[in-house]
Amino acid sequence: MAESDWDTVTVLRKKGPSAAQAKSKQAILAAQRRGADVETSQRAAGQNKQHFITKNTAKLDRETEELHHDRVPLEVGKVIQQGRQSKGMTQKDLATKINEKPQVIADYESGRAIPNNQVMGKIERAIGLKLRGKDIGKPLETGPKGK
């Protein structure tokens, strides 16, 4: 018991600088003066990109004759417009009903949209007319779904 002295303190290791202090400009300059290895890199805001543009997409965006996006045929656009008007809906009403933006409906009706089967299916059910396959413009058969 004689070895334990209440007045002396033993420091086993010194605590290093916190992460914020280690990244400060002063800490970096001090480390460079000491000759320590310092790795710095600048970050720009907004680096959470989820869409990567590859060479193929850039080629498709230029839309040459051999590489181009298929568009909705004007015939389908006219059927959408006629079906929507026969139900007394505006483009905004139809868009709200199928949970899409009004611009999507405008693009489909004008033939500017790239066809998406999910959106086409929603529009078909909303206006009750077929938009895909051979019999475009015919009434949609609403039979029982088979499981």
Side-chain angles (χ1 to χ4, degrees):
M1 293 290 272
E3 294 176 17
S4 57
D5 187 12
W6 291 97
D7 296 329
T8 59
V9 177
T10 306
V11 177
L12 297 176
R13 64 182 167 95
K14 187 177 179 184
K15 200 174 195 184
S18 69
Q21 291 171 344
K23 292 178 184 177
S24 72
K25 190 151 183 93
Q26 292 173 341
I28 292 170
L29 290 173
Q32 287 174 338
R33 273 188 240 115
R34 285 193 310 263
D37 290 335
V38 177
E39 183 179 327
T40 59
S41 62
Q42 289 186 340
R43 290 190 196 171
Q47 291 298 318
N48 190 13
K49 290 186 180 178
Q50 296 172 352
H51 304 290
F52 299 107
I53 297 176
T54 61
K55 290 180 183 178
N56 291 339
T57 10
K59 282 182 187 175
L60 280 173
D61 285 340
R62 281 188 229 118
E63 294 202 8
T64 59
E65 282 187 27
E66 64 273 356
L67 293 173
H68 67 280
H69 294 293
D70 291 329
R71 304 276 184 212
V72 176
L74 277 175
E75 176 191 1
V76 173
K78 297 245 186 254
V79 169
I80 294 172
Q81 189 174 15
Q82 289 167 355
R84 174 179 61 78
Q85 289 172 344
S86 69
K87 298 257 184 186
M89 290 192 279
T90 63
Q91 287 182 345
K92 186 175 181 180
D93 294 337
L94 179 58
T96 305
K97 188 170 185 176
I98 67 167
N99 292 325
E100 293 290 340
K101 294 180 180 174
Q103 186 61 44
V104 172
I105 303 301
D107 287 345
Y108 271 86
E109 286 185 3
S110 66
R112 290 189 307 257
I114 298 169
N116 179 341
N117 277 331
Q118 287 182 320
V119 175
M120 296 280 273
K122 289 181 194 177
I123 296 172
E124 279 180 342
R125 287 189 296 276
I127 64 175
L129 297 174
K130 284 192 136 233
L131 302 175
R132 301 172 285 183
K134 296 177 199 166
D135 35 334
I136 293 173
K138 299 264 170 60
L140 195 64
E141 291 116 23
T142 54
K145 288 185 179 178
K147 286 190 177 182

